[in-house]
Amino acid sequence: MNIKQLPIEVLIADDHPLMREGIAAVISGEPDMRVVGEANDGREALARYRELRPHVTLLDLQMPNMNGLEAVQAIRAEFPNACLAILTTYSGDARVTQAIKSGAQGYLLKSALRRELTEAVRILAAGHRYFPPQVAAELAHHLGQESLTARELQVLALIARGNANKQIGGTLGLSEDTVKGHLRSIMDKLGANNRTHAVTIGIERGFIEL
């Protein structure tokens, strides 16, 4: 199919009606693209994709029932050639990496949609990846850095909720010394000065959420 001779069909999945309406309004103003469907959550996005087979699907990262990353994985499992992009307010490199590993070809920041949306849709529909300069720079900055392990992510998330080392150990079934060892590793990998700084960096980069 030569999509250059057809309107680029776009499916929008976001649990905020105003966001969907805003995106639809921008796309509808372009002669070479049109919105063919909308979805409130990831499950509905999967169902609508099966029904519509759009050229480009835009999925909000944070949605109920099935989030954007889960929806990308579910759609990709059934339709390996699907063109999928994540919509989000978060630019942290950890989230971007998760999106890429899940199978997303694009990552669009909601704060820049008015400037970049239509260009991104055309680039994605042409079979290319799309990452805003800010996101690409964030990825490049942390390229090659060692990532946090699953256990370290658990420890960092519990620290972020205000737990002391002893409480974290009790929750995870670890000794207090083991928790301290994980904390040292976390701080070293993130370049943090203390546990509060580690939490701040973890949130900024998308390793954890509050």
Side-chain angles (χ1 to χ4, degrees), residues 130-199:
Y130 183 85
F131 298 96
Q134 177 184 347
V135 170
E138 186 78 10
L139 277 174
H141 179 69
H142 297 290
L143 190 65
Q145 291 184 1
E146 192 176 0
S147 186
L148 300 185
T149 66
R151 180 63 85 189
E152 288 167 351
L153 289 172
Q154 290 176 321
V155 170
L156 185 59
L158 289 169
I159 291 172
R161 293 175 195 145
N163 291 276
N165 291 346
K166 189 172 182 179
Q167 293 172 300
I168 295 170
T171 300
L172 299 179
L174 304 172
S175 71
E176 194 169 350
D177 283 342
T178 299
V179 172
K180 289 178 181 176
H182 284 310
L183 179 55
R184 283 194 297 271
S185 178
I186 290 167
M187 290 170 58
D188 183 55
K189 289 179 180 179
L190 297 183
N193 300 321
N194 52 50
R195 60 197 294 134
T196 302
H197 191 204
V199 169

Side-chain angles (χ1 to χ4, degrees), residues 4 6-8 26-34 118 122:
K4 292 180 180 178
L6 298 170
I8 300 169
V26 173
I27 289 174
S28 298
E30 300 296 312
D32 60 337
M33 57 186 73
R34 66 189 178 99
T118 54
R122 292 187 182 99

Side-chain angles (χ1 to χ4, degrees), residues 34-54:
R34 66 189 178 99
V35 176
V36 293
E38 298 182 16
N40 290 301
D41 58 41
R43 287 180 186 168
E44 188 178 354
L46 175 58
R48 296 309 309 273
Y49 190 94
R50 288 172 178 153
E51 171 193 352
L52 300 166
R53 310 288 178 88

